[in-house]
Amino acid sequence: MTHAVSVLVVEDEALIRMDIVDQLEREGFFVFEAANADQAIAVLDAEPSVRIMFTDIDMPGSMDGLKLAAAVRHRFPPVQIIVTSGHRMVEISEMPDGSVFFGKPYQHAAVMASMRQLLAAPPR
């Protein structure tokens, strides 16, 4: 990638978050981190450069990852959304339009390919 694209990783499990952050940085992305939805919204408010949010569903706090995805689509429409969970499968109808779902454990190569596809898609 010629210009680092900003990604926000929202994951309450520190080791899982560190792993995906490391993978994204190796691929040339600039990564912001949040452990819950409230932190994620604060990052998005402060960092308009974020182009993709990668969020877990099952997190403590004021909202889960699906509610966060809906809030982000409403407040930050240009942000592309990838949702992940190790505890449940999600129907496309449960996520904002254009979102992508990965079950855990996910393949890093598949996540990276999906991010590149989302970045190539026309803006909403």
Side-chain angles (χ1 to χ4, degrees), residues 8 10 53-57 59 65 68-69 81-85:
L8 170 59
V10 189
M53 180 182 69
F54 182 87
T55 185
D56 186 28
I57 292 176
M59 295 182 293
L68 173 62
I81 301 167
I82 298 176
V83 176
T84 185
S85 178

Side-chain angles (χ1 to χ4, degrees), residues 6 21 25 39-40 43 45 68 70 96-97 100 104 108 115 118:
S6 295
V21 166
E25 288 175 342
Q39 289 178 7
V43 169
D45 279 335
L68 173 62
D97 288 343
V100 176
K104 291 179 183 175
H108 290 293
M115 286 188 176
L118 288 171

Side-chain angles (χ1 to χ4, degrees), residues 69-102:
V72 167
R73 175 60 72 238
H74 177 74
R75 286 186 58 188
F76 310 95
V79 175
Q80 300 286 357
I81 301 167
I82 298 176
V83 176
T84 185
S85 178
H87 302 289
R88 61 192 263 199
M89 293 301 293
V90 176
E91 297 294 324
I92 194 91
S93 62
E94 296 178 78
M95 299 185 307
D97 288 343
S99 299
V100 176
F101 175 79
F102 283 97

Side-chain angles (χ1 to χ4, degrees), residues 24-72:
L24 289 167
E25 288 175 342
R26 286 183 194 191
E27 292 290 324
F29 291 97
F30 185 83
V31 184
F32 295 96
E33 300 178 48
N36 59 49
D38 294 325
Q39 289 178 7
I41 296 295
V43 169
L44 290 166
D45 279 335
E47 299 294 340
S49 65
V50 173
R51 300 269 315 278
I52 299 175
M53 180 182 69
F54 182 87
T55 185
D56 186 28
I57 292 176
D58 301 306
M59 295 182 293
S62 65
M63 63 181 105
D64 68 12
L66 288 175
K67 289 179 182 172
L68 173 62
V72 167

